[in-house]
Structures are given as structure tokens and as C-alpha cells.
Amino acid sequence: MNPTTVLLRRGRVIDPRHGVDGVRDVLVRDGVVAEVSEAPIQAPPDAQVVDAQGRWVLPGFIDLHVHLREPGEEGKETVLTGSRAAVAGGFTAVVAMPNTKPVNDSVLITEYVKAKAREAGLCRVYLAGAITKGLQGEEMAEMGALVAAGCVCITDDGRPVMNAGLMRRALQYATQFDLPVMVHEEDLTLSGKGVMHEGATSTRLGLIGIPPSAEVAMVARDLVLLEETRGRLHVAHVSCEGSVRLIREAKRRGLRVTAEATPHHFTLEDEAVGDYDTHARMNPPLRSRQDVLAVREALADGTIDAIATDHAPHGVLEKQVEFDKAWNGVVGLETALGLTLAAVREGALSLTRAVALLSDGPARAFGLPGGHLAVGAPADITVVEPDVEWTVDATRFFSRSRNTPFHGRRLTGRVAQTWVGGRLVFENGQTKESRS
Amino acid sequence: MRHLLGIEGLRRSEIEALLDRAEAHLHGSPDASHVLRGKVVANLFFEDSTRTRTSFEMAAHALGAEVLNWTMAGSSVSKGETLLDTARNIEATGPVALIIRHRSSGAPHLVARHVRCAVVNAGDGTHEHPSQALLDAFTLRRRWGRFDGRTVLIIGDILHSRVARSNLHCLTALGAKVVLCGPPTLLPPGLESLGARVTSRLDDVLPEADAVMCLRVQSERQSESFFPSAREFSRLFGLNAARAERLKPEALVMHPGPMNRGVEIAPAVADGPHSVILEQVAHGVAVRRAVLEVVCR
Ligand SMILES: [Zn+2]
């Protein structure tokens, strides 16, 4: 049982939205933050007291881009197992992509996933609806109904909307709901049959390359459409320098564009494919060193708003095959924090900025509650042990899938506790399901 | 050497040792027929290539081995079995080596990670074709002795050519200079970082070449718009009689076969005084004997 009153004592509170970084006591009552104080708070008699000394107390992480695979591919992941992986990774909220089977292009699927999420009772699960029916890129899905059912954005993620006219109207139509349109930017005529970044490594391995222009050309197109429609565009998994440059410039001109980058794209280069390691196969592909550096710079300077994992579970059957037959994607929820902190230690961005990218940035991009720790905010809190070193062991993931290129990697910084709405949902390597 | 998955990463001494063994086999190494006596070598050809398959088969027989041929047609692969399932099932029959030809780059690497027996790459996608490169190097070495100061020009579809990649690694490791020439659409990025000089101006580099390798042009590349037509390809990159005139007198002309006569190479050049194409074919078995001998040891 969780008491309704919790006092997190003497942790280092980092709340980028309010410029807080220092030792504070945080009092949580009835699921919201009741007090944040530099001076010690007298523990109320009914409070559970948590000693957070030497730990970081952060706004709960929000992942704008996860694939929970339910309905349809429950063997890879379910809303429950995905929620477990999320809270184990410090995520208090995730946005589930609509490319399930069937596709979330209707209220029925939205309601179904929401019910599964309530049943799991771990993190908050927000839904993304499809832009087009069945992700076919032909007819717009019922956006109004999806919004009414609770979808927080629309996207055909996994696929681009190749039809520019349709994309323009989707952006236009979404303005009446002030809804972000999330885009997987890939010109299919440029990516073709490509399976990895086009560069020296693809040449050496004899694999068909995907040039950066496949992404950049679509970012350019959609920014042009955004400017005309004055809608909201969210660019998913930005992978290369050209996209970063265009997004930076569009933001400077005041367009309502937000963007996300994944830990694998700011950590690994195309060389990680090694000798045909299918765990390094994803879309967009791992890019060149120059692209990685550009993405890191964009994380630091605010061009990119959010770190999103693009958590994409796959089974052994999808990965233990020839490279050109393997499916795209990596699981990411349980390694995101460690990889982000590695980038911080390497000097790519500040700790405050990193926390902002995991919490405040994504909350603002989609207008979600949380992402900060002011009084009255939902008590979604991630407590981190910053100095604990650990080794990624995919066999011990909470996720039902193990497809990660980071198995065996040493990381520093681990999630100690995850609180959602004032309820402890993860502690010391254990998830706390409400039923148990 | 446990497997032969590619030439990349082999040391010069390893390549030279293989070529030395091939030389011994070419002269009919007397004790060779015992090397694999009672052993089984499995040919797994997921892509048709009668020439390469037969060449490996002859090499295995010459070493005293039994050969099991598995081809795509009628195999369980067409029934949805994965490559690994197939490879493991065949491994269970006890071969000392799996010789794999596959459309996917890296397929032999995948198999090698999951089986205990030796794996020989007989051509994987657009990646490598190591035994072809070895027989090409063998042919050149028999003519030249040494590779230092020699320039080999490889012409055509570099992007999709496993022969080009394997030869690039092999020839540079042996000390030759390699120039790759083809239309810009068929020259992938990063070839320089692998040690090649890259150009689309055939006529500029032709007089420098001590050997010229013409690659087979696949007709489907035309429909994929890598170049406008076979005629235009031939005009710009074909080794025709006029170009052959501009070769060094002692320059050698090679082709991994099968040839599109009149496209990448003119018939008169293929059969002309520069050509060592038939020698290449003749050397295939000796080189593959050497390969099997080394990986099965
Ligand atoms: Zn995705």
C-alpha cells in the first residue's frame, strides 16, 4: 500500500522548468506536489519518509515515442510489459505509437489500449492516433474522434506520409485541435531498399545505403507545409545534420516545430553495424560521426526538444536473420537514462539540459501534464542514484524483447524509484503493480 | 583460419600462404587426396551459380571429401525455414565445412556465429567473393611474380560487385594499387577509405593499368536507372577494341564471368592477346582446394 503523503528528504532536486537545482525536501500529497522546500520539512504524521540524500529527485521522464505492440504483437511487448520497462527506466509517461495490429486509427483501439494501461497501473500511457486510415497514406483518419478519445498527437510513425497534398491538409485540419502532427521523415524514393546509412561502412559491407537526403528532403518539405498551414509539427527521431539545421532555422523563424532524438542516434555511429549486427538496424539508420555530433549539439542548444526512445521491441525471429531481412528497431526504455548521462559526462550537454530533454521538453512539446515539480504538479517523480555503475543485461529487461545494441555496455546512473501520481511504481529493481 | 568469410582483414602473409598452397595444387600436390578423406563438405547455394558450385565441388573431391549439394529449389527454405535453421540442420549431418552462396550480404557471417564447422563464403550479396579474388590474384601472381608497383583497374558496377570488394582488399593487401572506375551512380561513397582510387574517366586511367578487370553488368541496373542504357554503358565504360589499343602492351585483361560480350567487354578483347580469362577459370579449382585445406585443417 502506498500512503497518500510522501516526504522525499534531502535529495538534489533538478527542475529545469523552474530553474531549480539544489538540495530540497519534496512533499507529495494526494498525488500532487504539495511543497518543495530548501529548509527541511517537518514530516506529517501520516507521511512515508524517503531518504533521498545523495540522490537526484527529477521530474518524471516522458517518452513521446514508444511502441507497445498491443494489440496484435503481444509476443513482443504488451501494454503491461512495456509499462514495466518504462517505469524501470524512470519514465512516468509514454506516448504509444499507432502502428499496432490493428492500427490505432479509431476510438475503439484508443479505448482498448487505455483500458490495458489502466489495468497495468504503472505509468501514464498516452495515445497517438494515426494520421491516415490503416497507415495507408491515402485517407485521413477521424482526427476529431481520436482527439475526443484522448489521443495527444497523430502520426503514421514507421512510415512517411508521401502524399504532400494529404500531409498539408492533415497539418491544416489538426490546427482546429491544436494537435501536434508527428512525422517519420523518409522519402521512400530516396531510401529505396536501403538498410543502413549510406557511407563507407555500407560500402564495405555491401549493404544498400540510405542517404541522409531521404530524411532531410522530407523535413524540408514538411517545414514548407508547416509555414503555410501554421500548424504544429513534431519531427520524430532526428538522425542527421541536415535535418537539425533546417529545424533550427525554422524555430528561429517562429514556426511551431518540435523535435526529438533517440539515445541510439546520439550514441552510436553507423560503424556499430560491425559485422552485420542486426541489433544496430533501425530506421532512420545510425548515421555518421558528423551527424551524431550535430544531433548532440541540437540537444544542447534547444533545437531538439525531447529525448525519445522509439522503443521498438522485436523477437529473435525478426533479428536473428540476414541483415537485409531483419526488422528495424531497438528497445530503449531501460537504457535511455544511462546513455543520456553518458553524453552528459562526455560534455555533450549539461545535466540540467539532459533532465529537461527527458521531462520538461517532451511535456511542452505535446502539452502534457508533468515534466516539472512545482507545487500542484502531478507527483510524477524519478529518483536517480547518479553514481551507481551497472552493466546492461538484455536478458534481465522488463521489456518482453531483448533487441538492443547496448547489451554488455557499462553505464553509470540508475533509477532508484519511480513515482506516478504519488504512488511508488518502481523501486530497487522491482515494479510495484497495484494488484500485487 | 577457421572460416573464410571475406578477404577483408586477412594479412598479406595469410593470402600469400593460400596462393602458395594453390600453386602446389596446380602442380598436383601428391598427398592432397588424403586431406579430407572420409569428410563431408556441404555446398549451400541459395543463389544459382553452377560455375562456383562445381569448382568447389571439384576441389572438395580432389581432397578426398564427399560433397553434399543443397540448393534452393525444393529446400525447406522455400517453406519458411530460416537461414539459421537450415544451416544448423545441415550442420547436424556432420560436414567439416559449409560453403555458402547467398543473396544477402553477411549471410555467411550470421551462419558462422552459430555453427561449429568451418564456413566458406562463396559469394554473399554485394559484399565479398573471396575465392574469386584469390583466383584473380593467383592468376596475376603467376604472370607477375610480385604486385608492388602494379596497378589494377576494375571497371563497371562497383556498387553491386562483391568481386570488386574482395579484389580491392586482396590486391591492396598484396601491394598493388587499385583504381575503380564506373558511372558515379555505381561508385558508392567511402571507397577511398578502403584504399582505392576512384574515377569515372576510363580513358584517363586506361594507359596506367597493368591489369584490367571488367565486371559483369546486370541488365536490371538499367531499369533501376543507374545508367540509361546498355549501349551508353558500353560507349562510356566498355572495354572495346579501340580502348584495348591504348592499353600497355603487356597489360592483362580479366573478367570473373559470365561475360556480356559486347557490353562490358568486346568479343575481340575477351579472346584477344591481353586476355587471361580462361586462365582464371582454370585456376579456380586449385585455389578452392587451398581454401578448403586451410579452413578444414
Ligand atoms: Zn517509431
Side-chain angles (χ1 to χ4, degrees):
Chain A
M1 276 303 292
N2 278 288
T4 53
T5 307
V6 182
L7 178 61
L8 294 154
R9 235 183 201 154
R10 303 286 91 191
R12 176 179 171 188
V13 173
I14 304 172
D15 178 3
R17 189 178 299 182
H18 301 103
V20 175
D21 182 356
V23 173
R24 300 283 190 280
D25 280 6
V26 177
L27 184 68
V28 168
R29 189 171 276 155
D30 300 324
V32 297
V33 176
E35 194 180 347
V36 180
S37 165
E38 244 180 301
I41 297 172
Q42 175 79 44
D46 62 334
Q48 178 188 350
V49 179
V50 175
D51 179 9
Q53 273 193 75
R55 296 178 171 190
W56 298 342
V57 175
L58 311 176
F61 305 159
I62 299 169
D63 191 340
L64 297 180
H65 192 154
V66 304
H67 298 270
L68 296 180
R69 303 294 186 217
E70 189 174 7
E73 292 178 295
E74 289 83 354
K76 295 180 175 187
E77 195 80 287
T78 62
V79 176
L80 176 60
T81 59
S83 298
R84 285 177 182 151
V87 297
F91 290 92
T92 54
V94 299
V95 179
M97 294 296 109
N99 63 339
T100 45
K101 294 172 182 172
V103 165
N104 182 18
D105 57 4
S106 74
V107 171
L108 193 69
I109 306 299
T110 301
E111 293 292 358
Y112 177 82
V113 177
K114 277 167 64 181
K116 287 285 173 184
R118 267 195 306 276
E119 213 175 285
L122 289 166
C123 61
R124 300 176 199 273
V125 177
Y126 298 109
L127 271 292
I131 298 174
T132 65
K133 288 179 190 161
L135 305 180
Q136 293 301 303
E138 285 159 11
E139 287 174 77
M140 231 190 286
E142 284 186 8
M143 207 187 294
L146 290 167
V147 170
C151 286
V152 298
C153 88
I154 52 163
T155 180
D156 275 5
D157 179 61
R159 300 183 190 185
V161 178
M162 282 298 286
N163 181 329
L166 181 60
M167 182 65 195
R168 185 172 186 272
R169 280 189 290 278
L171 275 164
Q172 234 168 6
Y173 193 79
T175 58
Q176 65 183 311
F177 312 111
D178 198 33
L179 191 70
V181 180
M182 176 172 172
V183 278
H184 167 118
E185 300 291 46
E186 178 185 1
D187 183 322
L188 297 173
T189 67
L190 288 167
S191 56
K193 292 179 189 151
V195 295
M196 69 172 294
H197 173 65
E198 181 181 274
T201 303
S202 64
T203 294
R204 185 173 66 78
L205 294 174
L207 292 173
I208 302 175
I210 301 173
S213 57
E215 177 177 308
V216 184
M218 287 293 266
V219 171
R221 182 200 78 173
D222 286 344
L223 288 171
V224 168
L225 298 176
L226 180 68
E227 180 157 24
E228 277 180 359
T229 58
R230 294 281 143 183
R232 285 172 70 180
L233 186 75
H234 177 78
V235 183
H237 39 54
V238 168
S239 77
C240 52
E241 190 183 22
S243 309
V244 161
R245 204 182 298 140
L246 290 172
I247 294 164
R248 185 177 289 134
E249 196 258 350
K251 280 192 159 171
R252 203 170 285 153
R253 288 192 297 123
L255 300 187
R256 295 179 80 194
V257 58
T258 53
E260 65 183 40
T262 73
H264 48 271
H265 285 114
F266 65 71
T267 304
L268 298 175
E269 296 168 28
D270 58 343
E271 285 173 9
V273 170
D275 276 330
Y276 306 94
D277 181 0
T278 56
H279 286 142
R281 183 168 169 182
M282 56 274 291
N283 190 14
L286 298 173
R287 296 284 185 191
S288 72
R289 174 166 194 76
Q290 191 179 330
D291 292 313
V292 171
L293 292 176
V295 169
R296 286 181 162 215
E297 198 183 318
L299 289 167
D301 74 8
T303 301
I304 290 172
D305 304 84
I307 289 171
T309 65
D310 193 4
H311 179 78
H314 286 301
V316 171
L317 278 178
E318 284 80 23
K319 286 291 188 181
Q320 218 176 68
V321 292
E322 301 88 311
F323 195 88
D324 56 2
K325 297 201 177 99
W327 291 35
N328 290 309
V330 296
V331 290
L333 288 165
E334 294 169 73
T335 49
L337 173 68
L339 294 168
T340 303
L341 294 179
V344 170
R345 268 195 316 285
E346 286 159 23
L349 68 167
S350 69
L351 176 59
T352 315
R353 182 68 198 137
V355 173
L357 284 159
L358 288 164
S359 57
D360 185 38
R364 284 174 188 271
F366 280 15
L368 303 174
H372 67 107
L373 293 174
V375 173
D380 292 1
I381 298 170
T382 302
V383 180
V384 170
E385 299 172 287
D387 302 318
V388 172
E389 273 192 56
W390 59 289
T391 303
V392 178
D393 180 355
T395 63
R396 303 186 60 182
F397 279 164
F398 285 92
S399 170
R400 190 163 274 181
S401 293
R402 277 91 188 79
N403 50 304
T404 174
F406 298 111
H407 179 72
R409 183 173 284 231
R410 293 288 289 169
L411 293 174
T412 306
R414 200 170 58 179
V415 176
Q417 291 179 333
T418 307
W419 299 81
V420 175
R423 202 168 74 76
L424 187 62
V425 291
F426 177 82
E427 183 179 32
N428 293 332
Q430 306 268 317
T431 59
K432 314 255 175 201
E433 267 122 90
S434 47
R435 285 170 300 178
S436 55
Chain B
M1 201 182 295
R2 204 164 100 69
H3 305 295
L4 180 66
L5 300 177
I7 300 291
E8 190 192 7
L10 292 189
R11 289 187 302 274
R12 179 176 184 154
S13 59
E14 291 175 296
I15 297 170
E16 282 174 344
L18 279 165
L19 301 184
D20 291 344
R21 281 308 297 162
E23 192 67 45
H25 284 296
L26 194 66
H27 300 298
S29 187
D31 55 343
S33 62
H34 300 288
V35 175
L36 296 181
R37 174 135 302 165
K39 306 272 174 65
V40 174
V41 169
N43 267 331
L44 271 80
F45 276 58
F46 297 88
E47 185 185 78
D48 277 339
S49 172
T50 313
R51 293 159 59 111
T52 305
R53 185 173 53 74
T54 310
S55 179
F56 270 110
E57 198 171 338
M58 289 167 70
H61 281 308
L63 298 174
E66 294 288 318
V67 178
L68 275 176
N69 278 310
W70 301 78
T71 47
M72 262 302 277
S75 78
S76 42
V77 176
S78 44
K79 294 167 198 144
E81 193 177 75
T82 68
L83 170 60
L84 274 188
D85 288 337
T86 306
R88 282 172 174 147
N89 286 339
I90 293 170
E91 191 203 15
T93 68
V96 283
L98 299 178
I99 298 162
I100 300 180
R101 171 75 153 241
H102 201 283
R103 282 174 216 292
S104 296
S105 300
H109 301 67
L110 173 68
V111 172
R113 279 197 288 271
H114 292 94
V115 297
R116 271 185 295 272
C117 64
V119 174
V120 175
N121 181 358
D124 63 325
T126 56
H127 177 230
E128 282 222 46
H129 192 352
S131 61
Q132 176 71 40
L134 289 168
L135 78 86
D136 290 341
F138 183 68
T139 304
L140 291 172
R141 193 175 78 159
R142 300 202 87 229
R143 291 289 189 127
W144 292 343
R146 306 167 45 78
F147 290 84
D148 305 85
R150 300 287 188 174
T151 297
V152 179
L153 171 62
I154 305 177
I155 310 171
D157 182 355
I158 309 298
L159 175 61
H160 300 98
S161 175
R162 50 195 172 208
V163 173
R165 279 172 187 75
S166 280
N167 264 296
L168 172 59
H169 295 306
C170 190
L171 295 167
T172 52
L174 291 169
K177 288 199 180 72
V178 175
V179 182
L180 303 175
C181 180
T185 46
L186 292 171
L187 294 169
L191 289 167
E192 291 88 350
S193 68
L194 300 179
R197 217 176 102 204
V198 181
T199 180
S200 293
R201 296 168 171 274
L202 177 57
D203 290 310
D204 293 357
V205 289
L206 210 52
E208 300 170 29
D210 296 297
V212 180
M213 282 182 197
C214 301
L215 301 173
R216 178 177 170 80
V217 177
Q218 308 280 337
S219 56
E220 70 251 36
R221 306 304 172 206
Q222 184 184 323
S223 51
E224 292 167 20
S225 281
F226 284 100
F227 54 85
S229 68
R231 194 170 70 169
E232 172 144 327
F233 182 92
S234 185
R235 195 172 64 77
L236 293 171
F237 299 101
L239 191 59
N240 54 31
R243 288 202 169 103
E245 297 259 305
R246 301 185 51 240
L247 286 171
K248 287 182 184 178
E250 70 284 6
L252 305 176
V253 168
M254 310 176 84
H255 195 296
M259 289 182 276
N260 295 303
R261 286 173 183 264
V263 182
E264 69 266 3
I265 192 164
V269 180
D271 305 326
H274 294 287
S275 174
V276 290
I277 293 168
L278 291 177
E279 285 175 40
Q280 287 175 272
V281 177
H283 294 154
V285 177
V287 166
R288 287 172 177 125
R289 273 192 227 174
V291 167
L292 288 176
E293 193 183 41
V294 168
V295 297
C296 296
R297 190 157 47 204

